[in-house]
């Protein structure tokens, strides 16, 4: 029987402001999923948080886009929202953009990343949870894992990885997709995904090795909240999962790209470029200037549909230097105040609250 792992996430209220998820919400989510596991609706679960985002990691045998699983996640978010409203948590229910559930969380506010796979002899799976940024923040690290031999030694010295990988890329502005093969289409791929606010990596498929070609080995949530709501409603704080080892990038190769705190868009008011700081679950608590943007890495050894306990990778001291560098970059970027390139370029600001300010000035302009 195949195993499916689904990460479904939403911001249903921050504590305080947009900083973290209140312990009462985590408790409620755990209770709901515990009951679902007892009923046999899911095999296993883990409730995590990164910043103000509540991340439900679920394992089951129902495949991707399953209505029952999506409804379970939706109902859990609704139950947490009720508590958030009572406690007047900030932005209670902010990511639940629809009044009632209609079959799939896609297009309703929450983000999701899911993979269905035949479990190998051993199945190491890494889940990445981000806050204060957007799906394109995954482009650089995912490219490095699966496409860059300077990052992933296996691309050079493991024969089963020589065939390369297929990248499925979404154009989130035009709602289109394209697939590109590495290594031969690397330049075309980079031409697209370097434009990370528009082109985002959705899934990776293997072209050789023992994992079937139609089975995804990585999946990223690509949901665009502003596109759904028609206005700025916060950034689309994304999640992803990556399968590792035995012909896929090793755990250490999947972790290596995060040693560079690359610049991502998000941070304060979803309107600023800033460094992505890898951190432990405990430290996934944005503070300075509502940030800086964070990423958490939870490692699981999936076995017979069970997730088991996660290992909190970025707790490791090996990422201390990255965090220090991230803070040095944060200092440097902050010095720009309201100026680009700290503030996002004008095209990206269209999806924030800035256009309302510019509208106010429209009538004051006269022709040159
Ligand atoms: C960023 C984020 C926060 C808010 C900021 C202002 O994704 O959620 O930085 O944008 O705290 O929030 P409001 O406008 O709700 O006061
Ligand atoms: Mg929030
Ligand atoms: Mg958030």
């Amino acid at each position: 029987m195949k195993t499916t792992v689904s990460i479904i996430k939403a911001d249903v209220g921050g504590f305080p402001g947009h900083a973290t998820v209140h312990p009462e919400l985590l408790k409620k989510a755990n209770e709901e999923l515990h009951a679902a596991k007892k009923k046999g609706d899911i095999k296993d679960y883990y409730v995590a948080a990164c910043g103000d985002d509540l991340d439900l990691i679920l394992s089951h045998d129902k495949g991707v886009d399953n209505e029952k699983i999506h409804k379970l996640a939706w109902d859990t978010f609704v139950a947490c929202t009720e508590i958030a409203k009572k406690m007047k948590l900030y932005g209670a229910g902010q990511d639940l953009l629809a009044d009632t559930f209609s079959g799939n969380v896609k297009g309703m506010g929450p983000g999701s990343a899911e993979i269905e796979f035949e479990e190998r002899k051993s199945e190491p799976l890494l889940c990445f949870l981000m806050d204060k940024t957007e799906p394109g923040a995954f482009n650089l690290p995912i490219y490095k894992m699966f496409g860059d031999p300077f990052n992933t030694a296996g691309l050079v010295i493991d024969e089963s990885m020589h065939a390369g990988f297929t990248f499925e890329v979404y154009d989130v502005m035009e709602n289109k997709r394209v697939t590109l093969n590495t290594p031969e289409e690397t330049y075309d791929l980079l031409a697209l995904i370097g434009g990370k606010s528009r082109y985002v990596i959705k899934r990776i498929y293997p072209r050789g090795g023992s994992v079937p070609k139609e089975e995804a080995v990585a999946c990223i949530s690509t949901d665009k909240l502003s596109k759904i709501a028609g206005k700025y409603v916060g950034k689309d704080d994304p999640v992803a999962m990556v399968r590792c080892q035995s012909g896929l990038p090793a755990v250490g190769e999947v972790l290596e790209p995060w040693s560079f705190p690359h610049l991502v868009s998000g941070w304060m008011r979803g309107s600023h470029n800033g460094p992505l700081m890898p951190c432990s679950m405990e430290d996934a608590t944005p503070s300075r200037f509502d940030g800086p943007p964070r990423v958490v890495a939870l490692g699981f050894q999936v076995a017979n549909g069970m997730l088991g306990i996660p290992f909190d990778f970025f707790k490791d001291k090996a990422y201390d230097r990255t965090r220090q560098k991230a803070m040095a970059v944060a200092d440097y970027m902050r010095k720009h105040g309201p100026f680009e390139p700290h503030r996002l370029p004008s095209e990206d600001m269209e999806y924030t609250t800035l256009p309302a300010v510019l509208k106010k000035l429209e009538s004051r302009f006269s022709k040159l």
Side-chain angles (χ1 to χ4, degrees):
M1 184 173 299
K2 287 191 178 183
T3 296
T4 309
V5 178
S6 307
I7 314 178
I8 306 183
K9 52 83 43 183
D11 173 352
V12 292
F15 161 69
H18 291 282
T20 75
V21 176
H22 194 283
E24 287 296 324
L25 267 51
L26 295 173
K27 189 168 153 247
K28 184 70 187 167
N30 270 297
E31 284 166 8
E32 297 286 313
L33 299 183
H34 178 75
K37 183 176 168 179
K38 248 182 138 176
K39 266 181 32 199
D41 291 346
I42 50 173
K43 289 205 164 159
D44 206 0
Y45 68 91
Y46 188 78
V47 175
C50 183
D52 56 5
D53 288 279
L54 180 57
D55 301 286
L56 312 179
I57 307 175
L58 311 169
S59 66
H60 53 95
D61 56 11
K62 297 186 168 55
V64 303
D65 287 329
N66 179 272
E67 181 163 350
K68 256 190 151 172
I69 297 298
H70 281 235
K71 184 162 191 324
L72 169 65
W74 179 265
D75 290 346
T76 303
F77 293 137
V78 169
C80 291
T81 297
E82 275 168 28
I83 296 175
K85 282 189 172 154
K86 271 193 204 131
M87 297 177 76
K88 291 179 71 175
L89 296 182
Y90 198 70
Q94 75 161 52
D95 283 1
L96 304 188
L97 301 177
D99 294 328
T100 49
F101 179 73
S102 60
N104 193 301
V105 295
K106 264 187 220 152
M108 299 179 72
S112 63
E114 304 182 277
I115 303 183
E116 183 184 34
F117 52 91
E118 199 70 62
E119 278 184 31
R120 296 170 293 165
K121 197 168 131 210
S122 182
E123 197 62 59
L125 178 83
L126 264 55
C127 295
F128 293 97
L129 317 171
M130 291 187 184
D131 187 39
K132 303 292 181 274
T133 184
E134 60 176 10
F138 274 107
N139 282 7
L140 184 150
I142 295 279
Y143 167 70
K144 282 184 139 184
M145 292 169 205
F146 291 95
D148 179 7
F150 278 69
N151 178 87
T152 297
L155 291 170
V156 179
I157 62 181
D158 180 348
E159 203 273 322
S160 66
M161 291 174 78
H162 268 215
F165 291 90
T166 299
F167 286 66
E168 182 182 355
V169 176
Y170 280 9
D171 174 343
V172 292
M173 299 297 175
E174 298 271 329
N175 267 318
K176 295 191 291 200
R177 84 175 87 200
V178 61
T179 55
L180 292 161
N181 290 325
T182 56
E184 66 271 29
E185 293 181 302
T186 295
Y187 300 162
D188 293 318
L189 174 68
L190 289 171
L192 293 180
I193 64 172
K196 62 185 172 39
S197 62
R198 174 163 185 171
Y199 299 100
V200 298
I201 301 172
K202 177 66 193 177
R203 289 185 197 85
I204 304 287
Y205 295 93
R207 300 175 70 198
S210 57
V211 175
K213 289 184 174 55
E214 64 284 355
E215 242 182 44
V217 293
C219 182
I220 297 99
S221 70
T222 51
D223 313 81
K224 269 256 173 227
L225 281 172
S226 57
K227 282 268 161 195
I228 302 165
K231 62 174 178 19
Y232 179 69
V233 283
K235 272 271 179 256
D236 325 287
D237 307 326
V239 293
M241 68 183 94
V242 181
R243 298 167 66 193
C244 314
Q245 303 287 156
S246 306
L248 302 178
V251 167
E253 289 165 340
V254 170
L255 292 171
E256 176 65 6
W258 310 94
S259 63
F260 169 56
H262 67 295
L263 290 174
V264 298
S265 49
W267 207 348
M268 175 57 76
R269 296 174 189 274
S271 307
H272 294 83
N273 283 310
L276 183 67
M277 186 165 84
C279 62
S280 68
M281 267 197 287
E282 199 189 342
D283 291 335
T285 53
S287 55
R288 181 180 177 188
F289 204 52
D290 283 358
R294 315 269 157 145
V295 57
V296 162
L298 301 183
F300 294 93
Q301 255 329 131
V302 180
N304 307 314
M306 302 296 285
L307 292 168
I309 56 166
F311 184 76
D312 189 356
F313 270 110
F314 293 148
K315 214 173 171 174
D316 192 44
K317 289 186 173 53
Y319 287 87
D320 283 352
R321 288 247 308 254
T322 310
R323 289 186 269 270
Q324 276 155 19
K325 186 179 267 180
M327 289 321 300
V329 172
D331 285 338
Y332 176 81
M333 295 302 284
R334 284 298 301 124
K335 288 276 186 245
H336 294 80
F339 287 84
E340 298 177 6
H342 182 26
R343 197 176 84 181
L344 298 187
S346 300
E347 315 88 83
D348 292 347
M349 292 303 287
E350 276 173 39
Y351 304 95
T352 69
T353 50
L354 184 74
V357 177
L358 299 182
K359 188 140 191 67
K360 204 178 68 184
L361 294 173
E362 231 168 52
S363 61
R364 306 264 304 271
F365 278 88
S366 56
K367 273 225 145 46
L368 286 181

